[in-house]
Amino acid sequence: MELYPQTKPDYEIVISGAGPVGLSLAIALCDLGFECLVVSKDGDFEPQKGNFDGRAYSIAPACWAMWRVFGICEALEPFAQPILKVEAEAANFSPICFDFEEDEEIDGPLGYIVETHAILSTLWEKARKTAGLTFKSNTKLSGIKTQSDRVLISLNDDDTKISSKLLIGCDGRESFVRKTAGIEFAGHDYEAKGIVATVELTKPHEGVARQVFLKGGPFAVLPLKNNLASLVWTERIVVADSLMTLNDLDFELELREKVGDFLGEFTLKSGRFAYPLKMRIADTFSTDRIALAGDAAHTIHPLAGQGLNLGLKDVAALAETIGKAAHVGLDIGSTLALEPYDEWRRADTINMALGMDVLDKMFKAPPALRGLVGFGMSLMGKSELARSFLSREAKGVSGRNMPQLLQGHPIQF
């Protein structure tokens, strides 16, 4: 084991990645009094120039409650479209419908669709004003060595090194932290891509999020402000790649032919993005001196829009776990201190990932089975109990032992 002078580490916590998960985690930890460094391979975030680029996230109310604790929701609200109703259907069958009034115990909408740029801009502004938080931009991790009381982190393929009690990888599905730590990332590819674009609708969307299960995959219409809608169109890779080569007019024609009256009249208002769909879950979310959160720990099928929400739930659980460990005098980077986080989040993530996987497989099944699934969805749509359960799942408030931040409360011990 490499020897290191018995001095205090340079930082208590280093976070690799400055996306919504990494920034939210940094804010949560600094609010608990920790000194954190966020390392970003990109430059400092710059305000968007020009029109909305078409990308948006679905945010569950429980995650919105955490951001409300951070004091950023007021800045996000002009860009956030409340989801007042959800409709999900299999082609040719009655849809499942539920709205924000399904469960009287829960106030507010089923969620929010928020522009990606607005989320990043708001989180960066908050992070820059957060005491105890510093940044290293245009910086890449090039090596990681764990020691008994710290982790040594090499930067930019040179001799630059920093030390920390704990390194947290929030650096995406191709996470350098996860790979260097030797943590397996098991799962499979869906042999499909999701195409994302924004359209302007002729008729008001009235805050309704809609999803139909087609043979090639699910097609979702997510409401945005100003009667815009974010489309998520899942297709086999070869079809998706072909669609991405079309000009805007031909793409619109293909879209109209594919979804018919489901979308109604529309006009394409943004560029198109395509990304491969994968299901991967890390064998562990933590090891000695290292933890993972967000896409570095898991990626799932996007058909329920829960990818970022899973990452934000990681934030709430990991911040509370680290805070509690420090409160009782544990070394925050030790395996003992981090084990509760792994136990808290991994089972929930596996359940969500498998649920999305099963749904995807059911709607890719032979026609007879797809018809049976569609009929089952019709029956669920008529059940108040089923609709209430789905409503609570969508809001992120199902289950027990929710982290304090997801309940809308600051972390306390």
Side-chain angles (χ1 to χ4, degrees):
M1 179 179 294
E2 182 179 343
L3 295 178
Y4 194 87
Q6 295 302 306
T7 57
K8 180 181 177 182
D10 298 315
Y11 300 94
E12 289 183 283
I13 300 169
V14 171
I15 297 171
S16 177
V21 171
L23 291 174
S24 294
L25 182 58
I27 293 167
L29 289 169
C30 287
D31 283 351
L32 290 173
F34 294 103
E35 294 183 356
C36 298
L37 169 69
V38 172
V39 178
S40 172
K41 63 181 177 60
D42 301 314
D44 287 347
F45 183 82
E46 296 293 339
Q48 179 177 321
K49 298 177 181 179
N51 296 325
F52 168 45
D53 70 4
R55 292 176 292 179
Y57 283 116
S58 174
I59 306 299
C63 299
W64 188 262
M66 176 174 69
W67 282 350
R68 193 174 295 282
V69 173
F70 295 169
I72 65 173
C73 287
E74 184 175 348
L76 285 172
E77 282 169 357
F79 307 94
Q81 170 61 52
I83 303 173
L84 305 182
K85 187 176 183 180
V86 172
E87 295 180 355
E89 63 182 282
N92 304 319
F93 285 91
S94 300
I96 296 177
C97 300
F98 51 99
D99 58 38
F100 71 102
E101 295 177 345
E102 289 287 352
D103 195 322
E104 295 180 354
E105 297 179 6
I106 307 170
D107 295 327
L110 290 160
Y112 303 85
I113 307 297
V114 193
E115 299 174 17
T116 302
H117 181 271
I119 291 173
L120 286 171
S121 179
T122 304
L123 283 170
W124 268 93
E125 183 177 359
K126 172 67 177 179
R128 288 184 177 118
K129 299 175 181 177
T130 298
L133 179 54
T134 56
F135 291 92
K136 283 186 180 292
S137 299
N138 295 309
T139 303
K140 292 184 179 180
L141 274 63
S142 58
I144 300 169
K145 289 185 179 180
T146 57
Q147 297 190 335
S148 60
D149 67 339
R150 68 193 67 204
V151 55
L152 300 182
I153 304 162
S154 301
L155 303 176
N156 293 333
D157 295 316
D158 56 26
D159 293 332
T160 303
K161 287 184 173 61
I162 57 174
S163 61
S164 175
K165 292 182 180 179
L166 172 64
L167 170 63
I168 305 175
C170 299
D171 48 347
R173 66 169 68 181
E174 299 300 326
S175 169
F176 177 85
V177 174
R178 186 193 65 242
K179 292 177 179 179
T180 306
I183 299 173
E184 294 294 326
F185 204 38
H188 61 83
D189 296 350
Y190 286 102
E191 304 300 331
K193 287 186 176 181
I195 299 174
V196 178
T198 296
V199 298
E200 183 175 11
L201 303 174
T202 301
K203 295 181 180 179
H205 55 57
E206 297 179 339
V208 179
R210 305 178 67 205
Q211 185 159 263
V212 62
F213 293 89
L214 303 171
K215 185 176 181 181
F219 180 89
V221 182
L222 307 176
L224 290 165
K225 287 285 191 178
N226 303 315
N227 212 44
L228 299 176
S230 178
L231 310 182
V232 184
W233 183 2
T234 303
E235 274 290 359
R236 299 183 303 278
I237 289 177
V238 63
V239 176
D241 287 345
S242 177
L243 289 167
M244 289 298 292
T245 66
L246 299 178
N247 60 41
D248 287 353
L249 178 59
D250 289 340
F251 180 79
E252 286 187 17
L253 291 173
E254 288 291 334
L255 185 54
R256 285 187 170 88
E257 182 177 346
K258 185 71 174 182
V259 299
D261 295 334
F262 178 77
L263 184 57
E265 288 300 314
F266 65 90
T267 303
L268 193 64
K269 299 294 288 186
S270 77
R272 286 166 268 152
F273 307 86
Y275 54 93
L277 305 186
K278 305 172 183 288
M279 191 271 275
R280 298 280 194 279
I281 300 176
D283 284 355
T284 180
F285 288 6
S286 66
T287 185
D288 192 39
R289 303 284 159 203
I290 292 172
L292 304 173
D295 286 354
H298 45 71
T299 63
I300 68 171
H301 198 291
L303 65 85
Q306 293 301 306
L308 178 56
N309 290 308
L310 284 178
L312 294 176
K313 290 178 181 180
D314 294 345
V315 167
L318 182 53
E320 190 165 330
T321 298
I322 294 171
K324 185 174 182 179
H327 181 71
V328 299
L330 293 178
D331 177 350
I332 62 171
S334 67
T335 301
L336 179 63
L338 296 172
E339 276 180 349
Y341 166 63
D342 196 75
E343 296 172 359
W344 204 348
R345 289 297 306 138
R346 198 163 179 274
D348 175 62
T349 301
I350 290 173
N351 288 339
M352 178 64 73
L354 292 179
M356 298 304 99
D357 202 50
V358 168
L359 276 177
D360 177 70
K361 285 181 168 58
M362 286 194 303
F363 286 102
K364 289 180 179 176
L369 181 56
R370 288 203 306 271
L372 183 61
V373 172
F375 178 68
M377 287 184 67
S378 297
L379 292 180
M380 288 178 66
K382 298 174 183 177
S383 166
E384 290 187 11
L385 182 62
R387 293 198 310 273
S388 178
F389 171 77
L390 292 172
S391 174
R392 295 178 71 85
E393 285 289 324
K395 292 185 175 188
V397 296
S398 62
R400 299 180 180 179
N401 195 26
M402 284 181 62
Q404 295 175 65
L405 285 173
L406 297 182
Q407 299 179 54
H409 306 307
I411 298 173
Q412 296 181 338
F413 305 104

PDB file of all heavy atoms in Angstrom, residues 2-24:
ATOM      1  N   GLU A   2       0.587   2.188  -0.874  1.00  0.00           N
ATOM      2  CA  GLU A   2       1.379   3.416  -0.977  1.00  0.00           C
ATOM      3  C   GLU A   2       1.227   4.252   0.294  1.00  0.00           C
ATOM      4  O   GLU A   2       0.133   4.444   0.813  1.00  0.00           O
ATOM      5  CB  GLU A   2       0.888   4.221  -2.186  1.00  0.00           C
ATOM      6  CG  GLU A   2       1.665   5.495  -2.416  1.00  0.00           C
ATOM      7  CD  GLU A   2       1.155   6.233  -3.648  1.00  0.00           C
ATOM      8  OE1 GLU A   2       0.452   5.608  -4.459  1.00  0.00           O
ATOM      9  OE2 GLU A   2       1.466   7.439  -3.775  1.00  0.00           O
ATOM     10  N   LEU A   3       2.350   4.722   0.801  1.00  0.00           N
ATOM     11  CA  LEU A   3       2.320   5.543   2.007  1.00  0.00           C
ATOM     12  C   LEU A   3       1.938   6.971   1.669  1.00  0.00           C
ATOM     13  O   LEU A   3       2.205   7.464   0.580  1.00  0.00           O
ATOM     14  CB  LEU A   3       3.687   5.513   2.694  1.00  0.00           C
ATOM     15  CG  LEU A   3       4.140   4.162   3.238  1.00  0.00           C
ATOM     16  CD1 LEU A   3       5.522   4.301   3.845  1.00  0.00           C
ATOM     17  CD2 LEU A   3       3.151   3.618   4.257  1.00  0.00           C
ATOM     18  N   TYR A   4       1.308   7.637   2.616  1.00  0.00           N
ATOM     19  CA  TYR A   4       0.867   9.017   2.394  1.00  0.00           C
ATOM     20  C   TYR A   4       1.055   9.762   3.711  1.00  0.00           C
ATOM     21  O   TYR A   4       0.785   9.225   4.782  1.00  0.00           O
ATOM     22  CB  TYR A   4      -0.611   9.044   1.972  1.00  0.00           C
ATOM     23  CG  TYR A   4      -1.060  10.359   1.394  1.00  0.00           C
ATOM     24  CD1 TYR A   4      -0.907  10.633   0.036  1.00  0.00           C
ATOM     25  CD2 TYR A   4      -1.648  11.333   2.201  1.00  0.00           C
ATOM     26  CE1 TYR A   4      -1.321  11.849  -0.496  1.00  0.00           C
ATOM     27  CE2 TYR A   4      -2.068  12.545   1.672  1.00  0.00           C
ATOM     28  CZ  TYR A   4      -1.894  12.796   0.317  1.00  0.00           C
ATOM     29  OH  TYR A   4      -2.317  13.987  -0.201  1.00  0.00           O
ATOM     30  N   PRO A   5       1.549  10.975   3.675  1.00  0.00           N
ATOM     31  CA  PRO A   5       1.755  11.728   4.926  1.00  0.00           C
ATOM     32  C   PRO A   5       0.481  11.802   5.745  1.00  0.00           C
ATOM     33  O   PRO A   5      -0.610  11.942   5.199  1.00  0.00           O
ATOM     34  CB  PRO A   5       2.177  13.110   4.421  1.00  0.00           C
ATOM     35  CG  PRO A   5       2.734  12.869   3.051  1.00  0.00           C
ATOM     36  CD  PRO A   5       1.927  11.739   2.485  1.00  0.00           C
ATOM     37  N   GLN A   6       0.637  11.723   7.054  1.00  0.00           N
ATOM     38  CA  GLN A   6      -0.522  11.750   7.945  1.00  0.00           C
ATOM     39  C   GLN A   6      -1.040  13.176   8.112  1.00  0.00           C
ATOM     40  O   GLN A   6      -0.916  13.800   9.160  1.00  0.00           O
ATOM     41  CB  GLN A   6      -0.139  11.133   9.290  1.00  0.00           C
ATOM     42  CG  GLN A   6       0.216   9.668   9.206  1.00  0.00           C
ATOM     43  CD  GLN A   6      -0.924   8.842   8.641  1.00  0.00           C
ATOM     44  OE1 GLN A   6      -2.047   8.901   9.140  1.00  0.00           O
ATOM     45  NE2 GLN A   6      -0.654   8.069   7.602  1.00  0.00           N
ATOM     46  N   THR A   7      -1.570  13.697   7.037  1.00  0.00           N
ATOM     47  CA  THR A   7      -2.164  15.025   7.046  1.00  0.00           C
ATOM     48  C   THR A   7      -3.645  14.893   6.708  1.00  0.00           C
ATOM     49  O   THR A   7      -4.105  13.861   6.230  1.00  0.00           O
ATOM     50  CB  THR A   7      -1.481  15.929   6.007  1.00  0.00           C
ATOM     51  OG1 THR A   7      -1.594  15.317   4.718  1.00  0.00           O
ATOM     52  CG2 THR A   7      -0.016  16.130   6.349  1.00  0.00           C
ATOM     53  N   LYS A   8      -4.344  15.963   6.925  1.00  0.00           N
ATOM     54  CA  LYS A   8      -5.766  15.986   6.592  1.00  0.00           C
ATOM     55  C   LYS A   8      -5.943  15.904   5.076  1.00  0.00           C
ATOM     56  O   LYS A   8      -5.220  16.571   4.328  1.00  0.00           O
ATOM     57  CB  LYS A   8      -6.381  17.275   7.128  1.00  0.00           C
ATOM     58  CG  LYS A   8      -7.857  17.429   6.864  1.00  0.00           C
ATOM     59  CD  LYS A   8      -8.359  18.760   7.413  1.00  0.00           C
ATOM     60  CE  LYS A   8      -9.827  18.964   7.079  1.00  0.00           C
ATOM     61  NZ  LYS A   8     -10.318  20.284   7.571  1.00  0.00           N
ATOM     62  N   PRO A   9      -6.905  15.092   4.570  1.00  0.00           N
ATOM     63  CA  PRO A   9      -7.153  15.052   3.124  1.00  0.00           C
ATOM     64  C   PRO A   9      -7.510  16.440   2.592  1.00  0.00           C
ATOM     65  O   PRO A   9      -7.996  17.304   3.323  1.00  0.00           O
ATOM     66  CB  PRO A   9      -8.331  14.081   2.995  1.00  0.00           C
ATOM     67  CG  PRO A   9      -8.265  13.235   4.212  1.00  0.00           C
ATOM     68  CD  PRO A   9      -7.746  14.131   5.291  1.00  0.00           C
ATOM     69  N   ASP A  10      -7.278  16.643   1.300  1.00  0.00           N
ATOM     70  CA  ASP A  10      -7.541  17.949   0.699  1.00  0.00           C
ATOM     71  C   ASP A  10      -9.026  18.322   0.787  1.00  0.00           C
ATOM     72  O   ASP A  10      -9.370  19.492   0.974  1.00  0.00           O
ATOM     73  CB  ASP A  10      -7.123  17.935  -0.776  1.00  0.00           C
ATOM     74  CG  ASP A  10      -5.636  17.667  -0.941  1.00  0.00           C
ATOM     75  OD1 ASP A  10      -4.851  18.284  -0.189  1.00  0.00           O
ATOM     76  OD2 ASP A  10      -5.267  16.842  -1.793  1.00  0.00           O
ATOM     77  N   TYR A  11      -9.893  17.324   0.631  1.00  0.00           N
ATOM     78  CA  TYR A  11     -11.349  17.552   0.682  1.00  0.00           C
ATOM     79  C   TYR A  11     -11.996  16.420   1.470  1.00  0.00           C
ATOM     80  O   TYR A  11     -11.493  15.293   1.506  1.00  0.00           O
ATOM     81  CB  TYR A  11     -11.946  17.590  -0.726  1.00  0.00           C
ATOM     82  CG  TYR A  11     -11.380  18.672  -1.603  1.00  0.00           C
ATOM     83  CD1 TYR A  11     -10.309  18.402  -2.453  1.00  0.00           C
ATOM     84  CD2 TYR A  11     -11.898  19.966  -1.576  1.00  0.00           C
ATOM     85  CE1 TYR A  11      -9.770  19.397  -3.255  1.00  0.00           C
ATOM     86  CE2 TYR A  11     -11.367  20.964  -2.371  1.00  0.00           C
ATOM     87  CZ  TYR A  11     -10.306  20.669  -3.215  1.00  0.00           C
ATOM     88  OH  TYR A  11      -9.768  21.658  -4.004  1.00  0.00           O
ATOM     89  N   GLU A  12     -13.111  16.726   2.095  1.00  0.00           N
ATOM     90  CA  GLU A  12     -13.865  15.651   2.742  1.00  0.00           C
ATOM     91  C   GLU A  12     -14.497  14.743   1.695  1.00  0.00           C
ATOM     92  O   GLU A  12     -14.454  13.518   1.802  1.00  0.00           O
ATOM     93  CB  GLU A  12     -14.959  16.243   3.643  1.00  0.00           C
ATOM     94  CG  GLU A  12     -14.434  16.908   4.898  1.00  0.00           C
ATOM     95  CD  GLU A  12     -15.562  17.399   5.777  1.00  0.00           C
ATOM     96  OE1 GLU A  12     -16.165  18.445   5.454  1.00  0.00           O
ATOM     97  OE2 GLU A  12     -15.844  16.728   6.799  1.00  0.00           O
ATOM     98  N   ILE A  13     -15.093  15.373   0.653  1.00  0.00           N
ATOM     99  CA  ILE A  13     -15.809  14.596  -0.365  1.00  0.00           C
ATOM    100  C   ILE A  13     -15.496  15.179  -1.742  1.00  0.00           C
ATOM    101  O   ILE A  13     -15.555  16.401  -1.934  1.00  0.00           O
ATOM    102  CB  ILE A  13     -17.329  14.624  -0.127  1.00  0.00           C
ATOM    103  CG1 ILE A  13     -17.672  14.030   1.244  1.00  0.00           C
ATOM    104  CG2 ILE A  13     -18.074  13.867  -1.237  1.00  0.00           C
ATOM    105  CD1 ILE A  13     -19.115  14.265   1.684  1.00  0.00           C
ATOM    106  N   VAL A  14     -15.179  14.317  -2.696  1.00  0.00           N
ATOM    107  CA  VAL A  14     -15.027  14.708  -4.094  1.00  0.00           C
ATOM    108  C   VAL A  14     -16.140  14.042  -4.896  1.00  0.00           C
ATOM    109  O   VAL A  14     -16.375  12.839  -4.760  1.00  0.00           O
ATOM    110  CB  VAL A  14     -13.654  14.315  -4.655  1.00  0.00           C
ATOM    111  CG1 VAL A  14     -13.605  14.542  -6.172  1.00  0.00           C
ATOM    112  CG2 VAL A  14     -12.547  15.104  -3.972  1.00  0.00           C
ATOM    113  N   ILE A  15     -16.817  14.825  -5.727  1.00  0.00           N
ATOM    114  CA  ILE A  15     -17.893  14.325  -6.577  1.00  0.00           C
ATOM    115  C   ILE A  15     -17.455  14.475  -8.026  1.00  0.00           C
ATOM    116  O   ILE A  15     -17.126  15.574  -8.471  1.00  0.00           O
ATOM    117  CB  ILE A  15     -19.202  15.096  -6.336  1.00  0.00           C
ATOM    118  CG1 ILE A  15     -19.673  14.898  -4.893  1.00  0.00           C
ATOM    119  CG2 ILE A  15     -20.293  14.651  -7.325  1.00  0.00           C
ATOM    120  CD1 ILE A  15     -20.834  15.799  -4.500  1.00  0.00           C
ATOM    121  N   SER A  16     -17.444  13.378  -8.753  1.00  0.00           N
ATOM    122  CA  SER A  16     -17.105  13.412 -10.169  1.00  0.00           C
ATOM    123  C   SER A  16     -18.390  13.498 -10.980  1.00  0.00           C
ATOM    124  O   SER A  16     -19.206  12.579 -10.966  1.00  0.00           O
ATOM    125  CB  SER A  16     -16.321  12.148 -10.560  1.00  0.00           C
ATOM    126  OG  SER A  16     -16.057  12.135 -11.947  1.00  0.00           O
ATOM    127  N   GLY A  17     -18.580  14.619 -11.676  1.00  0.00           N
ATOM    128  CA  GLY A  17     -19.787  14.799 -12.481  1.00  0.00           C
ATOM    129  C   GLY A  17     -20.587  15.996 -12.010  1.00  0.00           C
ATOM    130  O   GLY A  17     -20.863  16.135 -10.812  1.00  0.00           O
ATOM    131  N   ALA A  18     -20.969  16.859 -12.969  1.00  0.00           N
ATOM    132  CA  ALA A  18     -21.707  18.080 -12.635  1.00  0.00           C
ATOM    133  C   ALA A  18     -23.031  18.139 -13.374  1.00  0.00           C
ATOM    134  O   ALA A  18     -23.458  19.202 -13.819  1.00  0.00           O
ATOM    135  CB  ALA A  18     -20.858  19.310 -12.945  1.00  0.00           C
ATOM    136  N   GLY A  19     -23.700  16.989 -13.471  1.00  0.00           N
ATOM    137  CA  GLY A  19     -25.056  16.957 -13.996  1.00  0.00           C
ATOM    138  C   GLY A  19     -26.054  17.204 -12.874  1.00  0.00           C
ATOM    139  O   GLY A  19     -25.669  17.573 -11.752  1.00  0.00           O
ATOM    140  N   PRO A  20     -27.348  16.993 -13.135  1.00  0.00           N
ATOM    141  CA  PRO A  20     -28.358  17.233 -12.094  1.00  0.00           C
ATOM    142  C   PRO A  20     -28.132  16.420 -10.824  1.00  0.00           C
ATOM    143  O   PRO A  20     -28.378  16.916  -9.717  1.00  0.00           O
ATOM    144  CB  PRO A  20     -29.670  16.844 -12.779  1.00  0.00           C
ATOM    145  CG  PRO A  20     -29.415  17.049 -14.243  1.00  0.00           C
ATOM    146  CD  PRO A  20     -27.977  16.670 -14.446  1.00  0.00           C
ATOM    147  N   VAL A  21     -27.647  15.182 -10.965  1.00  0.00           N
ATOM    148  CA  VAL A  21     -27.429  14.337  -9.781  1.00  0.00           C
ATOM    149  C   VAL A  21     -26.206  14.826  -9.006  1.00  0.00           C
ATOM    150  O   VAL A  21     -26.264  15.015  -7.786  1.00  0.00           O
ATOM    151  CB  VAL A  21     -27.273  12.857 -10.182  1.00  0.00           C
ATOM    152  CG1 VAL A  21     -26.818  12.013  -8.989  1.00  0.00           C
ATOM    153  CG2 VAL A  21     -28.592  12.318 -10.731  1.00  0.00           C
ATOM    154  N   GLY A  22     -25.085  15.041  -9.696  1.00  0.00           N
ATOM    155  CA  GLY A  22     -23.880  15.487  -9.006  1.00  0.00           C
ATOM    156  C   GLY A  22     -24.046  16.822  -8.310  1.00  0.00           C
ATOM    157  O   GLY A  22     -23.615  16.997  -7.162  1.00  0.00           O
ATOM    158  N   LEU A  23     -24.698  17.780  -8.977  1.00  0.00           N
ATOM    159  CA  LEU A  23     -24.898  19.095  -8.373  1.00  0.00           C
ATOM    160  C   LEU A  23     -25.865  19.025  -7.192  1.00  0.00           C
ATOM    161  O   LEU A  23     -25.651  19.664  -6.152  1.00  0.00           O
ATOM    162  CB  LEU A  23     -25.418  20.075  -9.420  1.00  0.00           C
ATOM    163  CG  LEU A  23     -24.430  20.467 -10.526  1.00  0.00           C
ATOM    164  CD1 LEU A  23     -25.117  21.337 -11.572  1.00  0.00           C
ATOM    165  CD2 LEU A  23     -23.216  21.186  -9.956  1.00  0.00           C
ATOM    166  N   SER A  24     -26.955  18.254  -7.346  1.00  0.00           N
ATOM    167  CA  SER A  24     -27.914  18.114  -6.235  1.00  0.00           C
ATOM    168  C   SER A  24     -27.242  17.485  -5.018  1.00  0.00           C
ATOM    169  O   SER A  24     -27.469  17.911  -3.875  1.00  0.00           O
ATOM    170  CB  SER A  24     -29.112  17.270  -6.676  1.00  0.00           C
ATOM    171  OG  SER A  24     -29.875  17.923  -7.666  1.00  0.00           O
TER     172      SER A  24
END
